[in-house]
Amino acid sequence: MPAPSTLIVSAIVRRDGRLLLVEQQGPADPQPSWMLPGGRVEDCETLVAALGRELGEETGLALAGTPEIAFVVDLVAGGDRYTAISFACDADGDPAPDDPDGLVRAAAWIEPAEALARLRCIEWYDCVPLERFLSGEAATGALYSFDRP
């Protein structure tokens, strides 16, 4: 029987043609990396509640309006399973991270080409779903599956 999937949400927030990314560094990370804001959905938490919580903690922004599922990624990596749901959403406020885990170092608005370049530096992150969403090539809510050793 397959392992249960860890549920993750991430926010695709655009403002003035730029994307919101967070710079983070975990205890085992040799250097910081840039990522979309987001994280694990906690027990008994709705997807939208988790999205709002993660966005607030990692960026200081407040979720505005109704988020829309941009794409979903099912990932199997090293025997672990993840379902990552990325939402296109709006947010109010200015970046001021207040991450209780202490992993997020900064939040910034970044030009899309530069944001994708930074995301490509993350070995496990596949930029194809985000690229296809941003370019309009993929239908909203597209599903992607990746199996990594």
Side-chain angles (χ1 to χ4, degrees), residues 25-115:
Q25 185 171 14
D29 296 337
Q31 61 188 24
S33 60
W34 288 88
M35 194 65 204
L36 293 170
R40 292 180 185 210
V41 177
E42 295 178 359
D43 290 341
C44 300
E45 190 175 38
T46 68
L47 296 175
V48 174
L51 183 68
R53 176 183 52 76
E54 289 288 349
L55 184 65
E57 289 175 357
E58 294 189 359
T59 70
L61 276 67
L63 189 61
T66 303
E68 183 175 279
I69 295 176
F71 55 87
V72 178
V73 174
D74 280 326
L75 172 66
V76 176
D80 294 322
R81 298 176 53 94
Y82 302 91
T83 300
I85 304 169
S86 295
F87 289 87
C89 55
D90 293 319
D92 293 328
D94 294 315
D98 188 22
D99 182 17
D101 300 323
L103 305 178
V104 174
R105 300 161 52 124
W109 298 104
I110 301 174
E111 294 295 328
E114 176 62 22

Side-chain angles (χ1 to χ4, degrees), residues 12 14 19 70-73 116 119-120 125-146:
I12 302 170
R14 295 187 265 190
L19 284 174
F71 55 87
V72 178
V73 174
L116 288 166
L119 290 168
R120 283 187 196 98
Y125 188 79
D126 193 312
C127 287
V128 170
L130 181 59
E131 289 171 326
R132 294 192 73 213
F133 173 76
L134 294 174
S135 71
E137 288 179 45
T140 300
L143 174 63
Y144 300 86
S145 293
F146 298 104

